[in-house]
Amino acid sequence: MNDKKSFGGNIMKKIFRALGLALVVLVLAACGQSEETTKVKLGVVGDKNDQWEYLQEELLEKENIEIELVKFTDYRQPIVSLDDGSIDMHSALTEIYMDSINEEGGYSNTTLGYTTLNPMGVFSEKIDSLDELADGALVAIPDDVSNGSRALLLLQTAGLIELDESKGLLATTSDITSNPKDLQFEEMAANQTARALADVDISLINNDMATDAGYVPTQDSIYLEPVAESSKPYYNVIAVREDETDNEVYKTILEYYQTDEVAAIIDEMSAGSSIPVWDGAPTAE
C-alpha cells in the first residue's frame, strides 16, 4: 500500500514539475516577444557617420532599436526612398533642399527635428584667398536649385557678385545682376564639386562632400559660410513621412540624437566644421 502511495506521489510530482516547466517556457516566450527588436532603416549621405555608429550601439542596447544605415551618394535619393518606403527616416539634408524637392516631386518628407548646420565652403587648389581670384575665373557650383542658390548667396556675401533680391533663397546664375570679375560658372552634381577642384579656379562644396573628400572645412576652405540667423533654412534635419511624425520609435531616436554626447562626437568628427543646432545643443549659436 505504501509503495502505491509513493508511486502515485512521484507521478504527481512529475506532472507538477512538467507543468511548472511549461509555465516558465511560456513566460520566457512572452518576455521575448515584448522585447522584440525594432528595425529602422535610416538614410544618410556620405561615409562619415560616427554619430550614427555610436547611436546604433546605444539604441540597440538601451531601447532594442536596431538602426540600419542606408548610404546614398546624392541628396535627392533619400527623399525618394523615404517616400516610397525603402527607408524609414533620413538624416542627410537641409530643410530648404528637402522642401524644394518635396514641392517639385510631390513628396511628403517632413522634419522630425534639427541636427546640424554644415556651412558651405569655397575651396581651391590654385589660390589661397579670394583676393587672388582672377577675372574670368571658372567657378564650380552645385546644379540643384537650393544648393546652387546657397553657393551664389555665399559668393554674394564674399562680395564677388550681386543677385536679384526678389529671388530670395532660390536664385540661379540667370539672377546675377552684377559680376565685376566676369566669373564663369560650371554647374554640376553636388557630389562632383570636390572632384572638380583640379579643373576649376574655385569650387563651392557642401560640408559633408568636402569632409568625405578628406577636407576639413574650417581649416581647408579659403572662405566659409558665415553662421547667422539667416542660416536657419540650411539646418540639417532628421525626416520621416508626414503621417509618421508621432511614431514613438522615431521620437526616441531623435531624443537620443539630440544629446551632449552626440554633439561632442559631431564636433570631434568634423573638427568644429559641423555645428549642432537643436534646442539646448552645447555648441549651438
Side-chain angles (χ1 to χ4, degrees), residues 138-160:
L138 184 59
V139 181
I141 64 172
D143 63 0
D144 63 270
V145 175
S146 64
N147 283 309
S149 177
R150 185 180 188 180
L152 294 173
L153 287 165
L154 181 54
L155 292 174
Q156 177 173 255
T157 300
L160 293 173

PDB file of all heavy atoms in Angstrom, residues 138-160:
ATOM      1  N   LEU A 138      36.964  80.342 -63.428  1.00  0.00           N
ATOM      2  CA  LEU A 138      35.948  79.293 -63.555  1.00  0.00           C
ATOM      3  C   LEU A 138      35.532  78.827 -62.160  1.00  0.00           C
ATOM      4  O   LEU A 138      36.379  78.446 -61.341  1.00  0.00           O
ATOM      5  CB  LEU A 138      36.499  78.121 -64.371  1.00  0.00           C
ATOM      6  CG  LEU A 138      35.518  76.974 -64.675  1.00  0.00           C
ATOM      7  CD1 LEU A 138      34.305  77.492 -65.457  1.00  0.00           C
ATOM      8  CD2 LEU A 138      36.226  75.868 -65.464  1.00  0.00           C
ATOM      9  N   VAL A 139      34.220  78.832 -61.922  1.00  0.00           N
ATOM     10  CA  VAL A 139      33.671  78.538 -60.599  1.00  0.00           C
ATOM     11  C   VAL A 139      32.717  77.351 -60.697  1.00  0.00           C
ATOM     12  O   VAL A 139      31.766  77.371 -61.482  1.00  0.00           O
ATOM     13  CB  VAL A 139      32.907  79.754 -60.038  1.00  0.00           C
ATOM     14  CG1 VAL A 139      32.361  79.447 -58.647  1.00  0.00           C
ATOM     15  CG2 VAL A 139      33.811  80.993 -60.011  1.00  0.00           C
ATOM     16  N   ALA A 140      32.958  76.323 -59.885  1.00  0.00           N
ATOM     17  CA  ALA A 140      32.059  75.168 -59.835  1.00  0.00           C
ATOM     18  C   ALA A 140      31.054  75.357 -58.713  1.00  0.00           C
ATOM     19  O   ALA A 140      31.427  75.708 -57.588  1.00  0.00           O
ATOM     20  CB  ALA A 140      32.845  73.884 -59.618  1.00  0.00           C
ATOM     21  N   ILE A 141      29.763  75.132 -59.029  1.00  0.00           N
ATOM     22  CA  ILE A 141      28.713  75.195 -58.019  1.00  0.00           C
ATOM     23  C   ILE A 141      27.760  74.010 -58.215  1.00  0.00           C
ATOM     24  O   ILE A 141      27.680  73.453 -59.317  1.00  0.00           O
ATOM     25  CB  ILE A 141      27.916  76.521 -58.073  1.00  0.00           C
ATOM     26  CG1 ILE A 141      27.156  76.649 -59.400  1.00  0.00           C
ATOM     27  CG2 ILE A 141      28.834  77.715 -57.851  1.00  0.00           C
ATOM     28  CD1 ILE A 141      26.192  77.833 -59.453  1.00  0.00           C
ATOM     29  N   PRO A 142      27.037  73.606 -57.158  1.00  0.00           N
ATOM     30  CA  PRO A 142      26.050  72.523 -57.315  1.00  0.00           C
ATOM     31  C   PRO A 142      24.956  72.917 -58.305  1.00  0.00           C
ATOM     32  O   PRO A 142      24.618  74.096 -58.431  1.00  0.00           O
ATOM     33  CB  PRO A 142      25.483  72.352 -55.906  1.00  0.00           C
ATOM     34  CG  PRO A 142      26.543  72.912 -54.997  1.00  0.00           C
ATOM     35  CD  PRO A 142      27.139  74.048 -55.757  1.00  0.00           C
ATOM     36  N   ASP A 143      24.399  71.911 -58.989  1.00  0.00           N
ATOM     37  CA  ASP A 143      23.413  72.214 -60.025  1.00  0.00           C
ATOM     38  C   ASP A 143      21.962  72.162 -59.555  1.00  0.00           C
ATOM     39  O   ASP A 143      21.057  72.489 -60.322  1.00  0.00           O
ATOM     40  CB  ASP A 143      23.596  71.287 -61.233  1.00  0.00           C
ATOM     41  CG  ASP A 143      23.374  69.815 -60.901  1.00  0.00           C
ATOM     42  OD1 ASP A 143      23.068  69.493 -59.737  1.00  0.00           O
ATOM     43  OD2 ASP A 143      23.534  68.981 -61.826  1.00  0.00           O
ATOM     44  N   ASP A 144      21.703  71.744 -58.311  1.00  0.00           N
ATOM     45  CA  ASP A 144      20.322  71.772 -57.830  1.00  0.00           C
ATOM     46  C   ASP A 144      20.008  73.168 -57.304  1.00  0.00           C
ATOM     47  O   ASP A 144      20.901  73.911 -56.884  1.00  0.00           O
ATOM     48  CB  ASP A 144      20.105  70.730 -56.743  1.00  0.00           C
ATOM     49  CG  ASP A 144      20.938  70.986 -55.505  1.00  0.00           C
ATOM     50  OD1 ASP A 144      22.081  70.486 -55.437  1.00  0.00           O
ATOM     51  OD2 ASP A 144      20.446  71.693 -54.607  1.00  0.00           O
ATOM     52  N   VAL A 145      18.730  73.527 -57.325  1.00  0.00           N
ATOM     53  CA  VAL A 145      18.340  74.910 -57.041  1.00  0.00           C
ATOM     54  C   VAL A 145      18.747  75.374 -55.652  1.00  0.00           C
ATOM     55  O   VAL A 145      19.326  76.458 -55.495  1.00  0.00           O
ATOM     56  CB  VAL A 145      16.820  75.091 -57.230  1.00  0.00           C
ATOM     57  CG1 VAL A 145      16.400  76.493 -56.817  1.00  0.00           C
ATOM     58  CG2 VAL A 145      16.439  74.856 -58.681  1.00  0.00           C
ATOM     59  N   SER A 146      18.480  74.576 -54.612  1.00  0.00           N
ATOM     60  CA  SER A 146      18.741  75.068 -53.257  1.00  0.00           C
ATOM     61  C   SER A 146      20.234  75.170 -52.957  1.00  0.00           C
ATOM     62  O   SER A 146      20.696  76.168 -52.397  1.00  0.00           O
ATOM     63  CB  SER A 146      18.040  74.207 -52.220  1.00  0.00           C
ATOM     64  OG  SER A 146      18.542  72.905 -52.224  1.00  0.00           O
ATOM     65  N   ASN A 147      21.008  74.149 -53.330  1.00  0.00           N
ATOM     66  CA  ASN A 147      22.455  74.211 -53.075  1.00  0.00           C
ATOM     67  C   ASN A 147      23.156  75.178 -54.026  1.00  0.00           C
ATOM     68  O   ASN A 147      24.116  75.856 -53.641  1.00  0.00           O
ATOM     69  CB  ASN A 147      23.068  72.817 -53.192  1.00  0.00           C
ATOM     70  CG  ASN A 147      22.790  71.957 -51.981  1.00  0.00           C
ATOM     71  OD1 ASN A 147      23.021  72.363 -50.849  1.00  0.00           O
ATOM     72  ND2 ASN A 147      22.278  70.758 -52.202  1.00  0.00           N
ATOM     73  N   GLY A 148      22.668  75.256 -55.265  1.00  0.00           N
ATOM     74  CA  GLY A 148      23.241  76.213 -56.206  1.00  0.00           C
ATOM     75  C   GLY A 148      23.002  77.639 -55.757  1.00  0.00           C
ATOM     76  O   GLY A 148      23.892  78.495 -55.811  1.00  0.00           O
ATOM     77  N   SER A 149      21.781  77.913 -55.289  1.00  0.00           N
ATOM     78  CA  SER A 149      21.456  79.241 -54.785  1.00  0.00           C
ATOM     79  C   SER A 149      22.279  79.565 -53.539  1.00  0.00           C
ATOM     80  O   SER A 149      22.768  80.690 -53.372  1.00  0.00           O
ATOM     81  CB  SER A 149      19.968  79.318 -54.456  1.00  0.00           C
ATOM     82  OG  SER A 149      19.639  80.567 -53.893  1.00  0.00           O
ATOM     83  N   ARG A 150      22.454  78.568 -52.687  1.00  0.00           N
ATOM     84  CA  ARG A 150      23.259  78.755 -51.479  1.00  0.00           C
ATOM     85  C   ARG A 150      24.685  79.146 -51.863  1.00  0.00           C
ATOM     86  O   ARG A 150      25.292  80.031 -51.237  1.00  0.00           O
ATOM     87  CB  ARG A 150      23.269  77.471 -50.654  1.00  0.00           C
ATOM     88  CG  ARG A 150      23.981  77.576 -49.323  1.00  0.00           C
ATOM     89  CD  ARG A 150      23.929  76.251 -48.570  1.00  0.00           C
ATOM     90  NE  ARG A 150      24.433  76.354 -47.214  1.00  0.00           N
ATOM     91  CZ  ARG A 150      24.492  75.345 -46.347  1.00  0.00           C
ATOM     92  NH1 ARG A 150      24.073  74.135 -46.706  1.00  0.00           N
ATOM     93  NH2 ARG A 150      24.958  75.531 -45.121  1.00  0.00           N
ATOM     94  N   ALA A 151      25.221  78.520 -52.888  1.00  0.00           N
ATOM     95  CA  ALA A 151      26.572  78.840 -53.361  1.00  0.00           C
ATOM     96  C   ALA A 151      26.642  80.266 -53.894  1.00  0.00           C
ATOM     97  O   ALA A 151      27.594  81.011 -53.593  1.00  0.00           O
ATOM     98  CB  ALA A 151      26.986  77.841 -54.450  1.00  0.00           C
ATOM     99  N   LEU A 152      25.633  80.660 -54.657  1.00  0.00           N
ATOM    100  CA  LEU A 152      25.617  82.019 -55.211  1.00  0.00           C
ATOM    101  C   LEU A 152      25.479  83.065 -54.106  1.00  0.00           C
ATOM    102  O   LEU A 152      26.129  84.119 -54.143  1.00  0.00           O
ATOM    103  CB  LEU A 152      24.485  82.159 -56.223  1.00  0.00           C
ATOM    104  CG  LEU A 152      24.625  81.322 -57.498  1.00  0.00           C
ATOM    105  CD1 LEU A 152      23.359  81.416 -58.341  1.00  0.00           C
ATOM    106  CD2 LEU A 152      25.838  81.765 -58.319  1.00  0.00           C
ATOM    107  N   LEU A 153      24.647  82.770 -53.112  1.00  0.00           N
ATOM    108  CA  LEU A 153      24.491  83.691 -51.982  1.00  0.00           C
ATOM    109  C   LEU A 153      25.798  83.820 -51.198  1.00  0.00           C
ATOM    110  O   LEU A 153      26.128  84.899 -50.686  1.00  0.00           O
ATOM    111  CB  LEU A 153      23.362  83.209 -51.064  1.00  0.00           C
ATOM    112  CG  LEU A 153      21.947  83.388 -51.623  1.00  0.00           C
ATOM    113  CD1 LEU A 153      20.944  82.565 -50.825  1.00  0.00           C
ATOM    114  CD2 LEU A 153      21.549  84.868 -51.613  1.00  0.00           C
ATOM    115  N   LEU A 154      26.551  82.714 -51.130  1.00  0.00           N
ATOM    116  CA  LEU A 154      27.843  82.760 -50.444  1.00  0.00           C
ATOM    117  C   LEU A 154      28.818  83.651 -51.205  1.00  0.00           C
ATOM    118  O   LEU A 154      29.563  84.443 -50.604  1.00  0.00           O
ATOM    119  CB  LEU A 154      28.408  81.343 -50.302  1.00  0.00           C
ATOM    120  CG  LEU A 154      29.751  81.198 -49.585  1.00  0.00           C
ATOM    121  CD1 LEU A 154      29.707  81.853 -48.206  1.00  0.00           C
ATOM    122  CD2 LEU A 154      30.119  79.725 -49.460  1.00  0.00           C
ATOM    123  N   LEU A 155      28.807  83.557 -52.530  1.00  0.00           N
ATOM    124  CA  LEU A 155      29.664  84.421 -53.344  1.00  0.00           C
ATOM    125  C   LEU A 155      29.242  85.885 -53.220  1.00  0.00           C
ATOM    126  O   LEU A 155      30.088  86.787 -53.252  1.00  0.00           O
ATOM    127  CB  LEU A 155      29.619  83.982 -54.809  1.00  0.00           C
ATOM    128  CG  LEU A 155      30.255  82.623 -55.112  1.00  0.00           C
ATOM    129  CD1 LEU A 155      30.018  82.234 -56.570  1.00  0.00           C
ATOM    130  CD2 LEU A 155      31.760  82.627 -54.811  1.00  0.00           C
ATOM    131  N   GLN A 156      27.938  86.104 -53.056  1.00  0.00           N
ATOM    132  CA  GLN A 156      27.464  87.470 -52.837  1.00  0.00           C
ATOM    133  C   GLN A 156      27.947  87.984 -51.485  1.00  0.00           C
ATOM    134  O   GLN A 156      28.408  89.139 -51.375  1.00  0.00           O
ATOM    135  CB  GLN A 156      25.933  87.516 -52.905  1.00  0.00           C
ATOM    136  CG  GLN A 156      25.362  88.893 -52.623  1.00  0.00           C
ATOM    137  CD  GLN A 156      23.854  88.952 -52.856  1.00  0.00           C
ATOM    138  OE1 GLN A 156      23.389  89.491 -53.840  1.00  0.00           O
ATOM    139  NE2 GLN A 156      23.080  88.416 -51.921  1.00  0.00           N
ATOM    140  N   THR A 157      27.871  87.142 -50.462  1.00  0.00           N
ATOM    141  CA  THR A 157      28.365  87.529 -49.135  1.00  0.00           C
ATOM    142  C   THR A 157      29.851  87.862 -49.189  1.00  0.00           C
ATOM    143  O   THR A 157      30.321  88.770 -48.491  1.00  0.00           O
ATOM    144  CB  THR A 157      28.129  86.381 -48.126  1.00  0.00           C
ATOM    145  OG1 THR A 157      26.735  86.110 -48.053  1.00  0.00           O
ATOM    146  CG2 THR A 157      28.661  86.742 -46.746  1.00  0.00           C
ATOM    147  N   ALA A 158      30.580  87.142 -50.035  1.00  0.00           N
ATOM    148  CA  ALA A 158      32.021  87.385 -50.185  1.00  0.00           C
ATOM    149  C   ALA A 158      32.318  88.618 -51.031  1.00  0.00           C
ATOM    150  O   ALA A 158      33.486  89.003 -51.181  1.00  0.00           O
ATOM    151  CB  ALA A 158      32.682  86.159 -50.815  1.00  0.00           C
ATOM    152  N   GLY A 159      31.282  89.246 -51.594  1.00  0.00           N
ATOM    153  CA  GLY A 159      31.459  90.473 -52.360  1.00  0.00           C
ATOM    154  C   GLY A 159      31.837  90.262 -53.811  1.00  0.00           C
ATOM    155  O   GLY A 159      32.271  91.216 -54.483  1.00  0.00           O
ATOM    156  N   LEU A 160      31.662  89.064 -54.330  1.00  0.00           N
ATOM    157  CA  LEU A 160      32.083  88.763 -55.708  1.00  0.00           C
ATOM    158  C   LEU A 160      30.983  88.990 -56.735  1.00  0.00           C
ATOM    159  O   LEU A 160      31.271  89.304 -57.897  1.00  0.00           O
ATOM    160  CB  LEU A 160      32.582  87.321 -55.802  1.00  0.00           C
ATOM    161  CG  LEU A 160      33.871  87.026 -55.043  1.00  0.00           C
ATOM    162  CD1 LEU A 160      34.166  85.535 -55.063  1.00  0.00           C
ATOM    163  CD2 LEU A 160      35.040  87.812 -55.652  1.00  0.00           C
TER     164      LEU A 160
END
